[in-house]
Amino acid sequence: MGDALNRAMERFGWRGYDEDDEQVFDEPEFSRPNFSEPEPIAQLPRPEIVPSKSTSLDISRIVSVTLTSYADAEVIGNAMRDGVPVIINLSKMNEAEARRIVDFAAGLAFALNGSMEQVVEGVLLLTPESVKVEEGQQKNAFANEPLFANKSGLGF
């Protein structure tokens, strides 16, 4: 019976371990990595940061926009991106869209390091970083007034 079992195991390739058959496995020898001192990293000079626009720009134009819908806001963004001050008139807009424009303009001024000033009720002045607005004698004339005075509209 043992003979039959050995023949069946041999046929299926399940032959047991025979001490006479030594299998030799070629294993590569383990080599330890060389942990020598790393080479020093070359210090590269830092690049000089040059502003994209001159801070002494001569303002030769100002864009004035009377918006009728939020879809017209692209004009504001293009002008500010080019470094041109923008006067925004919100008088022909409904209150909800005017608020969206104010939010857009505030974000635009913040992102471009500019500023946003309320000139009169419903009129805003957006200026790029290179333009500084000096206040005249009526300093903080609208400081205590909300941007949208009444709930029925912009107060125009």
Side-chain angles (χ1 to χ4, degrees), residues 74-133:
E74 184 178 357
V75 175
I76 300 167
N78 289 337
M80 280 291 288
R81 184 182 57 208
D82 294 339
V84 178
V86 182
I87 297 173
I88 306 169
N89 186 347
L90 303 171
S91 64
K92 298 196 189 296
M93 296 186 74
N94 66 42
E95 185 176 353
E97 284 194 329
R99 286 182 188 273
R100 288 181 67 195
I101 291 291
V102 170
D103 288 343
F104 171 74
L108 188 63
F110 177 78
L112 297 176
N113 293 325
S115 65
M116 181 173 80
E117 304 279 332
Q118 182 176 1
V119 180
V120 294
E121 190 174 340
V123 178
L124 303 173
L125 172 63
L126 282 180
T127 55
E129 182 180 21
S130 60
V131 177
K132 300 298 176 208
V133 177

Side-chain angles (χ1 to χ4, degrees), residues 11-12 19 25 32 35 37 42 67 73 90 96 108 119 126 130:
R11 179 176 289 217
F12 292 113
E19 291 181 17
F25 297 103
R32 294 187 180 262
F35 291 114
E37 289 294 320
L67 300 175
L90 303 171
L108 188 63
V119 180
L126 282 180
S130 60

